[in-house]
Structures are given as C-alpha cells and as structure tokens.
C-alpha cells in the first residue's frame, strides 16, 4: 500500500475522444509524475508537477496535459485519443526531501477503440 | 541522457535457486538506481534503491543489488527463489540530487519460478 490512489481503474474510450485520469498523492507529497506503460514495455515518463507547476516533460505531444491542485492531487488529460494511447497510466508521488523515493499507484488501464 | 538495459526479457529459475536479474545503465551524471517489481495487473512496488551510499543495497523480500560503477551495472539478486517472486522486474535510473524524479526504465524482465 503506497498511499497513492488512482481513478478510474479501467476505462474504454473511442478514438478522437478526450479522457481525464485522476490521482491522489500520498499525504504530504508535493511532487507528482505520470507515466505511460504500454503492454510489454517499461513505463515512460510523461511529465512531472511540483507545487502546481509542470517542471519536467518527457517525449509526449501537447495533447497530453496535466494539472496539480493545492492539495497535491493531480489530473492527466489526453485529447484526441489515438489507438496507440491504449496503455496503463501510472501516477507517482514523492517528497522533495525523500532522496528520490517515488511511490506508484495501481494505475488506470485505458483502452482506445 | 540516461538509459537502462535489462538483459533477458524472460528469466526462469527453479524454486530455491539463485535469482539474478541483470541491469546496465548509462548516465552522464552520478545516478540514482532503482529496482521495482510489478505483479500482474498491479502498479509498481519499490524493491530497493541506490542513492550513492553503500554500494550493496538490501531491499524487501530478500532481494539485494550491488552498484558497480566500473561495470555500470546494478544487478538484482536473491539467494533462493520463492514461488511468490514470479513477477516482472524493472530497473530504473534517475539523476542524483533533490528534485530529480524523472525515472528512465528498462523494458523489464519477467521472472518465472518453476516448482
């Protein structure tokens, strides 16, 4: 149990639609990051938020966007869904002084049809 | 730029045998290194991490890993495999220093344990 919770756990969307995934960080953690894990692959870094500002981004197009709220919960938004967006989306939280220990949630499985 | 290579996408061992999962990294700066485990349909669980203290790192469930700078390796071992160790294992690297939370993962090694 990492204290990081994500919702929904599973969802199916149609190509072209938009999706919002939610994450509640472990209590007191001020940094949240999102990862995409395609089937059979390792997770890939999408972006990171610290104190409500994006402060790091991986190689993902602008249709992947996010928010971090004052209570450190977070959202990942994906517009104009493509079939290749089908993946497990993982949220991770951490505390700046924790020596880079990052705690992952169980993930949200997104299927685009 | 950082990268991780995990040798062997699938490793099979007998119950009670030594587990050795290989990880080599590339980093232009002193790295932090991690091993995570993922059970089917679950998220990632941290096994252990190296953050420039002791080079031999002990983790949960009897796993340990040794940081070898000369070989740019961080292999994961466990003396005796248990059926419950069957899972996928990911090695990851990040930059050292506070605020560096971008992990670069390897492609993973699926461990099967044969009774």
């Amino acid at each position: 149990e990492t204290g990081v919770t994500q919702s929904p756990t599973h969802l199916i969307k149609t190509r072209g639609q938009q999706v919002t995934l939610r994450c509640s960080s472990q209590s007191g953690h001020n940094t949240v990051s999102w990862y995409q894990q395609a089937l059979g692959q390792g997770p890939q870094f999408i972006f990171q938020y610290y104190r409500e500002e994006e402060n790091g981004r991986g190689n993902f197009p602008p249709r992947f966007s996010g928010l971090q709220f004052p209570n450190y919960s977070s959202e990942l938004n994906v517009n104009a869904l493509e079939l290749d967006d089908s993946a497990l989306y993982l949220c991770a939280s951490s505390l700046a002084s924790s020596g880079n220990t990052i705690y992952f949630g169980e993930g949200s499985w997104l299927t685009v049809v | 730029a950082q990268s991780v290579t995990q040798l062997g996408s699938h490793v099979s061992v007998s119950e009670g045998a030594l587990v050795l999962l290989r990880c080599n990294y590339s980093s232009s700066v002193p790295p932090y290194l991690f091993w995570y485990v993922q059970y089917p349909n679950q998220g990632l669980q941290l096994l252990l991490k190296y953050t420039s203290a002791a080079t031999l790192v002990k983790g949960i469930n009897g796993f340990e890993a040794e940081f070898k700078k000369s070989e740019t390796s961080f292999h994961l071992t466990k003396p005796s495999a248990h059926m419950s160790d069957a899972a996928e294992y990911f090695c990851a690297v990040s930059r050292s220093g506070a605020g560096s939370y971008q992990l670069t993962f390897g492609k993973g090694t699926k461990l099967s344990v044969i009774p």
Side-chain angles (χ1 to χ4, degrees):
Chain A
E1 184 62 47
T2 64
V4 179
T5 57
Q6 294 186 240
S7 63
T9 54
H10 294 81
L11 72 166
I12 300 173
K13 289 286 189 177
T14 302
R15 188 171 52 183
Q17 285 187 316
Q18 179 265 345
V19 68
T20 297
L21 307 178
R22 295 179 174 83
C23 173
S24 176
S25 303
Q26 188 176 117
S27 179
H29 281 190
N30 54 16
T31 302
V32 66
S33 49
W34 286 88
Y35 289 78
Q36 180 196 66
Q37 186 179 14
L39 201 61
Q41 300 293 318
Q44 286 195 304
F45 175 75
I46 303 175
F47 46 55
Q48 173 180 297
Y49 279 79
Y50 173 67
R51 293 185 175 178
E52 303 175 54
E53 297 284 335
E54 182 181 304
N55 70 342
R57 189 175 185 93
N59 189 26
F60 281 81
R63 59 189 186 85
F64 285 78
S65 63
L67 285 172
Q68 186 184 31
F69 301 100
N71 65 355
Y72 301 134
S73 64
S74 175
E75 287 182 357
L76 164 66
N77 298 289
V78 186
N79 294 321
L81 284 167
E82 301 176 359
L83 297 179
D84 285 348
D85 295 334
S86 296
L88 177 66
Y89 289 86
L90 295 163
C91 171
S93 74
S94 50
L95 181 61
S97 60
S98 69
N100 288 40
T101 296
I102 302 167
Y103 298 92
F104 284 84
E106 297 282 305
S108 293
W109 285 98
L110 171 65
T111 300
V112 182
V113 297
Chain B
Q2 299 171 303
S3 66
V4 171
T5 301
Q6 291 184 241
L7 298 175
S9 59
H10 195 171
V11 170
S12 293
V13 300
S14 298
E15 192 174 14
L18 171 72
V19 175
L20 171 60
L21 304 182
R22 299 178 187 274
C23 172
N24 289 89
Y25 70 91
S26 171
S27 178
S28 57
V29 297
Y32 284 175
L33 292 159
F34 306 81
W35 275 99
Y36 283 87
V37 61
Q38 187 174 39
Y39 296 99
N41 300 315
Q42 293 190 22
L44 298 171
Q45 180 182 5
L46 179 67
L47 279 176
L48 49 80
K49 65 177 183 179
Y50 165 78
T51 56
S52 74
T55 56
L56 182 62
V57 181
K58 294 188 182 299
I60 63 172
N61 302 339
F63 285 95
E64 62 181 36
E66 186 173 7
F67 173 69
K68 293 187 177 181
K69 184 178 178 180
S70 61
E71 299 177 8
T72 61
S73 69
F74 190 59
H75 301 331
L76 181 71
T77 61
K78 180 174 180 179
S80 176
H82 192 272
M83 295 299 293
S84 61
D85 295 327
E88 189 145 25
Y89 292 79
F90 292 94
C91 181
V93 62
S94 73
R95 290 188 296 120
S96 58
S100 304
Y101 302 107
Q102 178 178 341
L103 294 174
T104 300
F105 285 86
K107 292 187 176 182
T109 298
K110 186 174 182 180
L111 176 67
S112 297
V113 181
I114 305 165

PDB file of all heavy atoms in Angstrom, chain B residues 7-37:
ATOM      1  N   LEU B   7      19.093  -7.164 -19.452  1.00  0.00           N
ATOM      2  CA  LEU B   7      19.450  -8.308 -20.280  1.00  0.00           C
ATOM      3  C   LEU B   7      18.540  -9.475 -19.956  1.00  0.00           C
ATOM      4  O   LEU B   7      18.487  -9.946 -18.825  1.00  0.00           O
ATOM      5  CB  LEU B   7      20.909  -8.685 -20.028  1.00  0.00           C
ATOM      6  CG  LEU B   7      21.920  -7.608 -20.396  1.00  0.00           C
ATOM      7  CD1 LEU B   7      23.317  -8.018 -20.002  1.00  0.00           C
ATOM      8  CD2 LEU B   7      21.850  -7.293 -21.882  1.00  0.00           C
ATOM      9  N   GLY B   8      17.812  -9.922 -20.985  1.00  0.00           N
ATOM     10  CA  GLY B   8      16.890 -11.033 -20.787  1.00  0.00           C
ATOM     11  C   GLY B   8      15.495 -10.537 -20.487  1.00  0.00           C
ATOM     12  O   GLY B   8      15.239 -10.008 -19.418  1.00  0.00           O
ATOM     13  N   SER B   9      14.602 -10.690 -21.433  1.00  0.00           N
ATOM     14  CA  SER B   9      13.220 -10.258 -21.209  1.00  0.00           C
ATOM     15  C   SER B   9      12.471 -11.283 -20.362  1.00  0.00           C
ATOM     16  O   SER B   9      11.443 -10.943 -19.760  1.00  0.00           O
ATOM     17  CB  SER B   9      12.492 -10.059 -22.539  1.00  0.00           C
ATOM     18  OG  SER B   9      12.491 -11.258 -23.276  1.00  0.00           O
ATOM     19  N   HIS B  10      12.984 -12.514 -20.323  1.00  0.00           N
ATOM     20  CA  HIS B  10      12.328 -13.561 -19.557  1.00  0.00           C
ATOM     21  C   HIS B  10      13.384 -14.461 -18.922  1.00  0.00           C
ATOM     22  O   HIS B  10      14.273 -14.958 -19.620  1.00  0.00           O
ATOM     23  CB  HIS B  10      11.407 -14.380 -20.471  1.00  0.00           C
ATOM     24  CG  HIS B  10      10.434 -15.223 -19.730  1.00  0.00           C
ATOM     25  ND1 HIS B  10       9.411 -15.896 -20.346  1.00  0.00           N
ATOM     26  CD2 HIS B  10      10.313 -15.513 -18.415  1.00  0.00           C
ATOM     27  CE1 HIS B  10       8.705 -16.565 -19.449  1.00  0.00           C
ATOM     28  NE2 HIS B  10       9.239 -16.357 -18.269  1.00  0.00           N
ATOM     29  N   VAL B  11      13.299 -14.633 -17.613  1.00  0.00           N
ATOM     30  CA  VAL B  11      14.211 -15.497 -16.872  1.00  0.00           C
ATOM     31  C   VAL B  11      13.402 -16.529 -16.097  1.00  0.00           C
ATOM     32  O   VAL B  11      12.409 -16.169 -15.442  1.00  0.00           O
ATOM     33  CB  VAL B  11      15.086 -14.672 -15.900  1.00  0.00           C
ATOM     34  CG1 VAL B  11      15.866 -15.571 -14.966  1.00  0.00           C
ATOM     35  CG2 VAL B  11      16.026 -13.748 -16.675  1.00  0.00           C
ATOM     36  N   SER B  12      13.810 -17.786 -16.192  1.00  0.00           N
ATOM     37  CA  SER B  12      13.158 -18.858 -15.453  1.00  0.00           C
ATOM     38  C   SER B  12      14.149 -19.478 -14.478  1.00  0.00           C
ATOM     39  O   SER B  12      15.285 -19.768 -14.863  1.00  0.00           O
ATOM     40  CB  SER B  12      12.641 -19.945 -16.395  1.00  0.00           C
ATOM     41  OG  SER B  12      11.598 -19.471 -17.191  1.00  0.00           O
ATOM     42  N   VAL B  13      13.721 -19.678 -13.253  1.00  0.00           N
ATOM     43  CA  VAL B  13      14.559 -20.334 -12.255  1.00  0.00           C
ATOM     44  C   VAL B  13      13.712 -21.346 -11.493  1.00  0.00           C
ATOM     45  O   VAL B  13      12.484 -21.230 -11.438  1.00  0.00           O
ATOM     46  CB  VAL B  13      15.166 -19.329 -11.246  1.00  0.00           C
ATOM     47  CG1 VAL B  13      16.035 -18.298 -11.974  1.00  0.00           C
ATOM     48  CG2 VAL B  13      14.100 -18.641 -10.429  1.00  0.00           C
ATOM     49  N   SER B  14      14.368 -22.320 -10.927  1.00  0.00           N
ATOM     50  CA  SER B  14      13.676 -23.290 -10.092  1.00  0.00           C
ATOM     51  C   SER B  14      13.488 -22.722  -8.689  1.00  0.00           C
ATOM     52  O   SER B  14      14.292 -21.892  -8.231  1.00  0.00           O
ATOM     53  CB  SER B  14      14.455 -24.595 -10.022  1.00  0.00           C
ATOM     54  OG  SER B  14      14.578 -25.180 -11.294  1.00  0.00           O
ATOM     55  N   GLU B  15      12.447 -23.150  -8.040  1.00  0.00           N
ATOM     56  CA  GLU B  15      12.214 -22.723  -6.661  1.00  0.00           C
ATOM     57  C   GLU B  15      13.424 -23.114  -5.822  1.00  0.00           C
ATOM     58  O   GLU B  15      13.911 -24.250  -5.902  1.00  0.00           O
ATOM     59  CB  GLU B  15      10.950 -23.382  -6.112  1.00  0.00           C
ATOM     60  CG  GLU B  15      10.468 -22.795  -4.796  1.00  0.00           C
ATOM     61  CD  GLU B  15       9.133 -23.371  -4.356  1.00  0.00           C
ATOM     62  OE1 GLU B  15       8.716 -24.408  -4.922  1.00  0.00           O
ATOM     63  OE2 GLU B  15       8.502 -22.796  -3.456  1.00  0.00           O
ATOM     64  N   GLY B  16      13.928 -22.153  -5.033  1.00  0.00           N
ATOM     65  CA  GLY B  16      15.112 -22.396  -4.215  1.00  0.00           C
ATOM     66  C   GLY B  16      16.422 -22.040  -4.887  1.00  0.00           C
ATOM     67  O   GLY B  16      17.464 -21.984  -4.216  1.00  0.00           O
ATOM     68  N   ALA B  17      16.413 -21.793  -6.172  1.00  0.00           N
ATOM     69  CA  ALA B  17      17.633 -21.436  -6.903  1.00  0.00           C
ATOM     70  C   ALA B  17      17.914 -19.945  -6.797  1.00  0.00           C
ATOM     71  O   ALA B  17      17.051 -19.137  -6.426  1.00  0.00           O
ATOM     72  CB  ALA B  17      17.513 -21.846  -8.363  1.00  0.00           C
ATOM     73  N   LEU B  18      19.145 -19.598  -7.171  1.00  0.00           N
ATOM     74  CA  LEU B  18      19.557 -18.198  -7.174  1.00  0.00           C
ATOM     75  C   LEU B  18      18.818 -17.415  -8.249  1.00  0.00           C
ATOM     76  O   LEU B  18      18.659 -17.876  -9.376  1.00  0.00           O
ATOM     77  CB  LEU B  18      21.063 -18.097  -7.432  1.00  0.00           C
ATOM     78  CG  LEU B  18      21.631 -16.703  -7.674  1.00  0.00           C
ATOM     79  CD1 LEU B  18      21.648 -15.902  -6.382  1.00  0.00           C
ATOM     80  CD2 LEU B  18      23.034 -16.787  -8.279  1.00  0.00           C
ATOM     81  N   VAL B  19      18.384 -16.214  -7.886  1.00  0.00           N
ATOM     82  CA  VAL B  19      17.797 -15.298  -8.856  1.00  0.00           C
ATOM     83  C   VAL B  19      18.834 -14.223  -9.186  1.00  0.00           C
ATOM     84  O   VAL B  19      19.414 -13.609  -8.288  1.00  0.00           O
ATOM     85  CB  VAL B  19      16.533 -14.613  -8.295  1.00  0.00           C
ATOM     86  CG1 VAL B  19      16.003 -13.569  -9.284  1.00  0.00           C
ATOM     87  CG2 VAL B  19      15.464 -15.640  -7.967  1.00  0.00           C
ATOM     88  N   LEU B  20      19.081 -14.021 -10.488  1.00  0.00           N
ATOM     89  CA  LEU B  20      19.981 -12.968 -10.951  1.00  0.00           C
ATOM     90  C   LEU B  20      19.315 -12.258 -12.120  1.00  0.00           C
ATOM     91  O   LEU B  20      19.103 -12.850 -13.174  1.00  0.00           O
ATOM     92  CB  LEU B  20      21.327 -13.536 -11.378  1.00  0.00           C
ATOM     93  CG  LEU B  20      22.282 -12.555 -12.082  1.00  0.00           C
ATOM     94  CD1 LEU B  20      22.627 -11.379 -11.189  1.00  0.00           C
ATOM     95  CD2 LEU B  20      23.548 -13.276 -12.543  1.00  0.00           C
ATOM     96  N   LEU B  21      18.969 -10.999 -11.919  1.00  0.00           N
ATOM     97  CA  LEU B  21      18.392 -10.193 -12.983  1.00  0.00           C
ATOM     98  C   LEU B  21      19.366  -9.053 -13.277  1.00  0.00           C
ATOM     99  O   LEU B  21      19.770  -8.332 -12.382  1.00  0.00           O
ATOM    100  CB  LEU B  21      17.029  -9.632 -12.556  1.00  0.00           C
ATOM    101  CG  LEU B  21      15.991 -10.670 -12.114  1.00  0.00           C
ATOM    102  CD1 LEU B  21      14.676  -9.982 -11.761  1.00  0.00           C
ATOM    103  CD2 LEU B  21      15.779 -11.730 -13.158  1.00  0.00           C
ATOM    104  N   ARG B  22      19.711  -8.928 -14.557  1.00  0.00           N
ATOM    105  CA  ARG B  22      20.797  -8.017 -14.942  1.00  0.00           C
ATOM    106  C   ARG B  22      20.290  -6.657 -15.392  1.00  0.00           C
ATOM    107  O   ARG B  22      19.290  -6.557 -16.105  1.00  0.00           O
ATOM    108  CB  ARG B  22      21.628  -8.646 -16.056  1.00  0.00           C
ATOM    109  CG  ARG B  22      22.276  -9.959 -15.651  1.00  0.00           C
ATOM    110  CD  ARG B  22      23.054 -10.561 -16.794  1.00  0.00           C
ATOM    111  NE  ARG B  22      23.536 -11.903 -16.479  1.00  0.00           N
ATOM    112  CZ  ARG B  22      24.668 -12.151 -15.854  1.00  0.00           C
ATOM    113  NH1 ARG B  22      25.463 -11.151 -15.488  1.00  0.00           N
ATOM    114  NH2 ARG B  22      25.037 -13.398 -15.606  1.00  0.00           N
ATOM    115  N   CYS B  23      21.030  -5.634 -14.979  1.00  0.00           N
ATOM    116  CA  CYS B  23      20.704  -4.262 -15.357  1.00  0.00           C
ATOM    117  C   CYS B  23      22.002  -3.500 -15.578  1.00  0.00           C
ATOM    118  O   CYS B  23      22.870  -3.480 -14.711  1.00  0.00           O
ATOM    119  CB  CYS B  23      19.883  -3.590 -14.261  1.00  0.00           C
ATOM    120  SG  CYS B  23      19.613  -1.812 -14.499  1.00  0.00           S
ATOM    121  N   ASN B  24      22.119  -2.879 -16.727  1.00  0.00           N
ATOM    122  CA  ASN B  24      23.215  -1.965 -17.017  1.00  0.00           C
ATOM    123  C   ASN B  24      22.632  -0.598 -17.325  1.00  0.00           C
ATOM    124  O   ASN B  24      21.594  -0.490 -17.954  1.00  0.00           O
ATOM    125  CB  ASN B  24      24.063  -2.471 -18.181  1.00  0.00           C
ATOM    126  CG  ASN B  24      24.884  -3.672 -17.799  1.00  0.00           C
ATOM    127  OD1 ASN B  24      24.438  -4.809 -17.926  1.00  0.00           O
ATOM    128  ND2 ASN B  24      26.086  -3.431 -17.311  1.00  0.00           N
ATOM    129  N   TYR B  25      23.320   0.422 -16.900  1.00  0.00           N
ATOM    130  CA  TYR B  25      22.801   1.773 -17.071  1.00  0.00           C
ATOM    131  C   TYR B  25      23.816   2.639 -17.804  1.00  0.00           C
ATOM    132  O   TYR B  25      25.010   2.331 -17.865  1.00  0.00           O
ATOM    133  CB  TYR B  25      22.476   2.393 -15.711  1.00  0.00           C
ATOM    134  CG  TYR B  25      23.710   2.721 -14.896  1.00  0.00           C
ATOM    135  CD1 TYR B  25      24.317   3.968 -14.984  1.00  0.00           C
ATOM    136  CD2 TYR B  25      24.288   1.762 -14.077  1.00  0.00           C
ATOM    137  CE1 TYR B  25      25.473   4.249 -14.279  1.00  0.00           C
ATOM    138  CE2 TYR B  25      25.436   2.040 -13.362  1.00  0.00           C
ATOM    139  CZ  TYR B  25      26.018   3.269 -13.463  1.00  0.00           C
ATOM    140  OH  TYR B  25      27.170   3.541 -12.766  1.00  0.00           O
ATOM    141  N   SER B  26      23.308   3.718 -18.324  1.00  0.00           N
ATOM    142  CA  SER B  26      24.151   4.740 -18.922  1.00  0.00           C
ATOM    143  C   SER B  26      23.683   6.070 -18.362  1.00  0.00           C
ATOM    144  O   SER B  26      22.486   6.375 -18.400  1.00  0.00           O
ATOM    145  CB  SER B  26      24.015   4.723 -20.445  1.00  0.00           C
ATOM    146  OG  SER B  26      24.663   5.835 -21.012  1.00  0.00           O
ATOM    147  N   SER B  27      24.615   6.836 -17.827  1.00  0.00           N
ATOM    148  CA  SER B  27      24.254   8.135 -17.258  1.00  0.00           C
ATOM    149  C   SER B  27      25.444   9.069 -17.324  1.00  0.00           C
ATOM    150  O   SER B  27      26.560   8.673 -17.021  1.00  0.00           O
ATOM    151  CB  SER B  27      23.806   7.967 -15.800  1.00  0.00           C
ATOM    152  OG  SER B  27      23.492   9.216 -15.234  1.00  0.00           O
ATOM    153  N   SER B  28      25.174  10.300 -17.700  1.00  0.00           N
ATOM    154  CA  SER B  28      26.246  11.287 -17.807  1.00  0.00           C
ATOM    155  C   SER B  28      26.547  11.953 -16.469  1.00  0.00           C
ATOM    156  O   SER B  28      27.517  12.684 -16.340  1.00  0.00           O
ATOM    157  CB  SER B  28      25.869  12.353 -18.841  1.00  0.00           C
ATOM    158  OG  SER B  28      24.646  12.950 -18.484  1.00  0.00           O
ATOM    159  N   VAL B  29      25.724  11.695 -15.485  1.00  0.00           N
ATOM    160  CA  VAL B  29      25.912  12.246 -14.149  1.00  0.00           C
ATOM    161  C   VAL B  29      25.755  11.107 -13.140  1.00  0.00           C
ATOM    162  O   VAL B  29      25.220  10.049 -13.486  1.00  0.00           O
ATOM    163  CB  VAL B  29      24.894  13.370 -13.844  1.00  0.00           C
ATOM    164  CG1 VAL B  29      25.088  14.538 -14.802  1.00  0.00           C
ATOM    165  CG2 VAL B  29      23.474  12.833 -13.932  1.00  0.00           C
ATOM    166  N   PRO B  30      26.244  11.300 -11.910  1.00  0.00           N
ATOM    167  CA  PRO B  30      26.053  10.243 -10.912  1.00  0.00           C
ATOM    168  C   PRO B  30      24.580   9.871 -10.807  1.00  0.00           C
ATOM    169  O   PRO B  30      23.733  10.746 -10.636  1.00  0.00           O
ATOM    170  CB  PRO B  30      26.575  10.896  -9.622  1.00  0.00           C
ATOM    171  CG  PRO B  30      27.574  11.885 -10.097  1.00  0.00           C
ATOM    172  CD  PRO B  30      27.042  12.414 -11.391  1.00  0.00           C
ATOM    173  N   PRO B  31      24.291   8.591 -10.925  1.00  0.00           N
ATOM    174  CA  PRO B  31      22.885   8.188 -10.983  1.00  0.00           C
ATOM    175  C   PRO B  31      22.324   7.776  -9.634  1.00  0.00           C
ATOM    176  O   PRO B  31      23.049   7.441  -8.716  1.00  0.00           O
ATOM    177  CB  PRO B  31      22.945   6.973 -11.908  1.00  0.00           C
ATOM    178  CG  PRO B  31      24.247   6.318 -11.517  1.00  0.00           C
ATOM    179  CD  PRO B  31      25.185   7.455 -11.185  1.00  0.00           C
ATOM    180  N   TYR B  32      20.996   7.821  -9.567  1.00  0.00           N
ATOM    181  CA  TYR B  32      20.273   7.057  -8.570  1.00  0.00           C
ATOM    182  C   TYR B  32      19.690   5.864  -9.319  1.00  0.00           C
ATOM    183  O   TYR B  32      19.237   6.005 -10.461  1.00  0.00           O
ATOM    184  CB  TYR B  32      19.134   7.865  -7.942  1.00  0.00           C
ATOM    185  CG  TYR B  32      19.570   8.904  -6.935  1.00  0.00           C
ATOM    186  CD1 TYR B  32      18.636   9.773  -6.370  1.00  0.00           C
ATOM    187  CD2 TYR B  32      20.890   9.031  -6.512  1.00  0.00           C
ATOM    188  CE1 TYR B  32      19.003  10.732  -5.442  1.00  0.00           C
ATOM    189  CE2 TYR B  32      21.259   9.990  -5.584  1.00  0.00           C
ATOM    190  CZ  TYR B  32      20.321  10.828  -5.051  1.00  0.00           C
ATOM    191  OH  TYR B  32      20.675  11.782  -4.132  1.00  0.00           O
ATOM    192  N   LEU B  33      19.698   4.701  -8.706  1.00  0.00           N
ATOM    193  CA  LEU B  33      19.230   3.489  -9.366  1.00  0.00           C
ATOM    194  C   LEU B  33      18.182   2.788  -8.517  1.00  0.00           C
ATOM    195  O   LEU B  33      18.260   2.798  -7.289  1.00  0.00           O
ATOM    196  CB  LEU B  33      20.417   2.547  -9.620  1.00  0.00           C
ATOM    197  CG  LEU B  33      21.422   3.071 -10.647  1.00  0.00           C
ATOM    198  CD1 LEU B  33      22.774   2.396 -10.475  1.00  0.00           C
ATOM    199  CD2 LEU B  33      20.889   2.856 -12.059  1.00  0.00           C
ATOM    200  N   PHE B  34      17.249   2.171  -9.193  1.00  0.00           N
ATOM    201  CA  PHE B  34      16.097   1.568  -8.521  1.00  0.00           C
ATOM    202  C   PHE B  34      15.765   0.223  -9.166  1.00  0.00           C
ATOM    203  O   PHE B  34      15.992   0.018 -10.359  1.00  0.00           O
ATOM    204  CB  PHE B  34      14.854   2.468  -8.668  1.00  0.00           C
ATOM    205  CG  PHE B  34      15.046   3.887  -8.225  1.00  0.00           C
ATOM    206  CD1 PHE B  34      15.665   4.811  -9.062  1.00  0.00           C
ATOM    207  CD2 PHE B  34      14.599   4.312  -6.988  1.00  0.00           C
ATOM    208  CE1 PHE B  34      15.838   6.135  -8.665  1.00  0.00           C
ATOM    209  CE2 PHE B  34      14.766   5.632  -6.587  1.00  0.00           C
ATOM    210  CZ  PHE B  34      15.383   6.540  -7.425  1.00  0.00           C
ATOM    211  N   TRP B  35      15.202  -0.652  -8.350  1.00  0.00           N
ATOM    212  CA  TRP B  35      14.526  -1.837  -8.855  1.00  0.00           C
ATOM    213  C   TRP B  35      13.083  -1.797  -8.350  1.00  0.00           C
ATOM    214  O   TRP B  35      12.831  -1.593  -7.167  1.00  0.00           O
ATOM    215  CB  TRP B  35      15.189  -3.120  -8.376  1.00  0.00           C
ATOM    216  CG  TRP B  35      16.342  -3.562  -9.212  1.00  0.00           C
ATOM    217  CD1 TRP B  35      17.671  -3.369  -8.957  1.00  0.00           C
ATOM    218  CD2 TRP B  35      16.285  -4.302 -10.436  1.00  0.00           C
ATOM    219  NE1 TRP B  35      18.437  -3.934  -9.948  1.00  0.00           N
ATOM    220  CE2 TRP B  35      17.617  -4.510 -10.861  1.00  0.00           C
ATOM    221  CE3 TRP B  35      15.238  -4.813 -11.215  1.00  0.00           C
ATOM    222  CZ2 TRP B  35      17.925  -5.214 -12.034  1.00  0.00           C
ATOM    223  CZ3 TRP B  35      15.542  -5.501 -12.369  1.00  0.00           C
ATOM    224  CH2 TRP B  35      16.870  -5.696 -12.772  1.00  0.00           C
ATOM    225  N   TYR B  36      12.156  -2.007  -9.302  1.00  0.00           N
ATOM    226  CA  TYR B  36      10.739  -2.100  -8.980  1.00  0.00           C
ATOM    227  C   TYR B  36      10.225  -3.468  -9.411  1.00  0.00           C
ATOM    228  O   TYR B  36      10.720  -4.058 -10.372  1.00  0.00           O
ATOM    229  CB  TYR B  36       9.935  -1.026  -9.722  1.00  0.00           C
ATOM    230  CG  TYR B  36      10.039   0.362  -9.141  1.00  0.00           C
ATOM    231  CD1 TYR B  36      11.069   1.225  -9.505  1.00  0.00           C
ATOM    232  CD2 TYR B  36       9.092   0.828  -8.227  1.00  0.00           C
ATOM    233  CE1 TYR B  36      11.158   2.510  -8.966  1.00  0.00           C
ATOM    234  CE2 TYR B  36       9.170   2.113  -7.693  1.00  0.00           C
ATOM    235  CZ  TYR B  36      10.204   2.937  -8.070  1.00  0.00           C
ATOM    236  OH  TYR B  36      10.289   4.203  -7.543  1.00  0.00           O
ATOM    237  N   VAL B  37       9.193  -3.938  -8.714  1.00  0.00           N
ATOM    238  CA  VAL B  37       8.525  -5.187  -9.087  1.00  0.00           C
ATOM    239  C   VAL B  37       7.077  -4.871  -9.427  1.00  0.00           C
ATOM    240  O   VAL B  37       6.466  -3.994  -8.802  1.00  0.00           O
ATOM    241  CB  VAL B  37       8.624  -6.252  -7.967  1.00  0.00           C
ATOM    242  CG1 VAL B  37       7.952  -5.776  -6.676  1.00  0.00           C
ATOM    243  CG2 VAL B  37       8.004  -7.568  -8.415  1.00  0.00           C
TER     244      VAL B  37
END
